[in-house]
Amino acid sequence: MNSKPIIGVMPLWDDNRKSIWIHPGYFDGVIKAGGVPILLPLTREEDVFTQALRICSGLLFTGGQDVSPALYGKADTADTPDTCPLRDHQESLAIRFALEHDLSVLGICRGHQLLNVLLGGTLWQDIPSEVEHPLVHLHTPPQDPVSHDVILEPDTPLSSLLQRQRITVNSYHHQGVRELSPMLKCMARASDGVIEAAYMPEKRFVWGVQWHPEMSCQTDENSMKIFAAFVSSARHD
């Protein structure tokens, strides 16, 4: 009997409670897709963190705080920055580890943005004030209802998986990919031009999506297909 792939899930951070936590949808999506999710530690002890990474076949990068503009060489223009330096540091290490060891990667929302930044891209720091004629990307909770359409790029892994030209997604973000990394290719855009999904062609599975499939994987077929493709790619031969 083949063992199920272990998927390391990056924890969310609650600054008010000084506590890590996780939305159950991340675990639900991985389990339903046939994987075993484990919550990774949030620590500056790199040897501890690296040992945890070594038991994983795939890494899931979650949503949460803004990616620090310092990572892409920009000043922070926010009046009250909502960043988490420890997450930036640790998740940067994890993405580099994943690419070096060819682990499967799924970046969701912040994870999508961080992947782009670490590979040489930049972000819109605030879509409502920086993008011309923006859609409403930041909806109030609950986040599972659909918010807007995204247009899938033809001949990409996402369009091949979903067999669609357009899908409707939920949306809960105010930052987004501005300049796409030269190491990534776009898989989907919103009608205002914001890049909603991207992938790394030379890797078996390195995807980022801007929306939140973990919020809708129990009811939305497209969301579940993304989790299934991710977990399937992480299975050992």
Side-chain angles (χ1 to χ4, degrees):
M1 182 176 181
N2 293 331
S3 61
K4 296 181 178 182
I6 295 175
I7 306 298
V9 183
M10 299 297 156
L12 300 165
W13 172 250
D14 186 322
D15 198 50
N16 291 326
R17 293 183 172 89
K18 304 302 179 187
S19 175
I20 63 171
W21 66 286
I22 197 68
H23 186 283
Y26 293 112
F27 276 23
D28 292 344
V30 170
I31 293 170
K32 191 174 179 182
V36 176
I38 62 168
L39 190 62
L40 294 169
L42 188 61
T43 175
R44 289 196 178 275
E45 299 294 331
E46 293 185 13
D47 58 333
V48 171
F49 185 55
T50 300
Q51 186 168 344
L53 294 178
R54 291 190 185 281
I55 69 172
C56 300
S57 299
L59 297 179
L60 176 55
F61 292 84
T62 56
Q65 286 87 357
D66 295 345
V67 175
S68 172
L71 292 182
Y72 50 99
K74 302 293 184 181
D76 197 328
T77 59
D79 293 331
T80 55
D82 180 21
T83 59
C84 180
L86 182 53
R87 284 195 68 182
D88 286 344
H89 173 73
Q90 178 169 294
E91 292 173 18
S92 297
L93 293 175
I95 287 178
R96 294 187 181 100
F97 182 95
L99 297 179
E100 180 181 350
H101 293 85
D102 199 25
L103 303 186
S104 296
V105 169
L106 177 60
I108 292 176
C109 195
R110 167 192 159 86
H112 165 64
Q113 297 166 13
L114 182 63
L115 177 66
N116 180 62
V117 164
L118 293 180
L119 294 176
T122 64
L123 302 181
W124 299 107
Q125 291 192 43
D126 184 59
I127 289 172
S129 62
E130 295 178 346
V131 172
E132 187 175 2
H133 308 304
L135 292 173
V136 176
H137 289 270
L138 182 59
H139 286 257
T140 55
Q143 289 89 37
D144 53 317
V146 295
S147 300
H148 63 76
D149 285 356
V150 299
I151 302 158
L152 305 189
E153 296 284 342
D155 302 318
T156 62
L158 186 61
S159 64
S160 296
L161 174 69
L162 302 184
Q163 293 294 300
R164 302 283 185 89
Q165 295 179 328
R166 181 187 296 263
I167 61 172
T168 306
V169 300
N170 54 29
S171 189
Y172 191 63
H173 64 105
H174 79 104
Q175 296 199 321
V177 171
R178 184 171 188 164
E179 296 171 307
L180 186 64
S181 158
M183 301 175 69
L184 297 173
K185 287 190 176 181
C186 177
M187 293 198 291
R189 292 180 186 270
S191 61
D192 57 8
V194 171
I195 294 172
E196 293 275 339
Y199 77 111
M200 197 171 182
E202 66 267 29
K203 295 295 185 180
R204 58 174 172 168
F205 195 103
V206 175
W207 287 21
V209 297
Q210 185 58 72
W211 62 93
H212 286 270
E214 82 282 2
M215 301 284 187
S216 53
C217 62
Q218 298 285 13
T219 57
D220 177 63
E221 180 183 8
N222 293 326
S223 297
M224 195 57 234
K225 283 183 175 180
I226 291 171
F227 273 102
F230 166 53
V231 172
S232 177
S233 74
R235 293 183 184 278
H236 292 296
D237 296 331

